[in-house]
Amino acid sequence: MELLTPRLRLRLRELREADFDALYAVLGDSDITRHSPYTFDESRVRNWIARNRRRYETLGFGLWAVTLRESGELIGDCGLTLQNIHGELLPEIGYHIRRDRQRQGYAAEAAGACRDWAFAHTPFRRLFSYLKQDNLPSAAIAQAIGMRFWKDFPDAEGERSSVYAIRREDWASLRKPPQKPDPDQGGPL
């Protein structure tokens, strides 16, 4: 799988073992993963790559490498996984972007491309993102791709997590071009 984002700044592709060093620079940064239930050492990052490669084979999706289109540089991961969200196995869009590439719109661009891919290639009627309640940057990204707050719940770590969701119908309405007013139907010209 390879996907160009609509703004053409990013290319999403399957993770491969050769991505270890670049992905470790992302996931090994404790600031980026401070909302994760564990820290990423070398073994966890290698397992992360292997687990996503198994997901591609069995599910047809997983977290993909987020690379800059011009240089091919890996700056993070983003994609669709099935996650246990408050007792339900739900399709979730997740993302991690390297610290020096944050606040440039890359996470929202990659997450939006994953949302579009998921609705175009899977039967899921809703997509979700779940995050620690105090993870305001991730909440902003979920909202930027059209997700709305769905619910809060106490998570396995004893903290509050928030869930954002977008329905297929809401996604379809985001993609429709605005209608021009029809002068014969009344309304502004």
Side-chain angles (χ1 to χ4, degrees):
M1 193 294 301
E2 192 166 291
L3 176 67
L4 278 174
T5 60
R7 291 183 61 193
L8 302 178
R9 298 188 307 164
L10 303 174
R11 182 183 311 269
L12 279 62
R13 60 163 174 78
E14 292 183 359
L15 286 165
R16 44 189 181 238
E17 290 177 21
D19 293 326
F20 170 78
D21 289 332
L23 191 60
Y24 184 71
V26 178
L27 298 177
D29 183 335
S30 60
D31 187 54
I32 292 172
T33 58
R34 71 182 173 276
H35 296 288
S36 296
Y38 47 81
T39 57
F40 282 85
D41 58 14
E42 290 186 8
S43 176
R44 277 210 163 105
V45 173
R46 289 189 194 288
N47 187 39
W48 190 263
I49 293 170
R51 189 172 354 140
N52 280 292
R53 295 197 55 76
R54 287 191 301 273
R55 286 174 176 148
Y56 307 148
E57 292 173 16
T58 58
L59 300 172
F61 56 82
L63 291 170
W64 295 303
V66 176
T67 65
L68 297 176
R69 186 182 64 85
E70 293 294 327
S71 66
E73 175 187 8
L74 187 146
I75 63 166
D77 67 356
C78 183
L80 186 68
T81 58
L82 296 176
Q83 295 292 323
N84 181 341
I85 301 176
H86 201 216
E88 290 183 78
L89 197 59
L90 299 172
E92 196 245 357
I93 295 175
Y95 36 82
H96 302 94
I97 300 295
R98 198 175 66 212
R99 188 187 322 202
D100 67 319
R101 294 298 186 164
Q102 292 179 358
R103 296 180 178 14
Q104 298 174 48
Y106 291 132
E109 186 173 335
C114 290
R115 173 207 58 206
D116 294 348
W117 183 91
F119 280 132
H121 295 94
T122 72
F124 299 128
R125 296 179 33 81
R126 287 192 300 180
L127 301 174
F128 302 85
S129 281
Y130 80 106
L131 44 111
K132 297 294 184 189
Q133 197 173 45
D134 64 345
N135 188 347
L136 300 180
S138 285
I141 291 164
Q143 292 170 346
I145 66 166
M147 291 185 168
R148 295 184 183 143
F149 174 79
W150 185 45
K151 67 179 178 179
D152 284 331
F153 67 94
D155 59 31
E157 291 81 43
E159 299 177 46
R160 302 287 304 165
S161 284
S162 297
V163 183
Y164 289 77
I166 184 170
R167 299 176 312 159
R168 182 178 290 274
E169 306 82 58
D170 295 332
W171 168 74
S173 68
L174 289 175
R175 298 181 53 81
K176 289 182 184 174
Q179 297 278 332
K180 291 184 180 178
D182 183 349
D184 295 330
Q185 298 296 319
L189 294 177

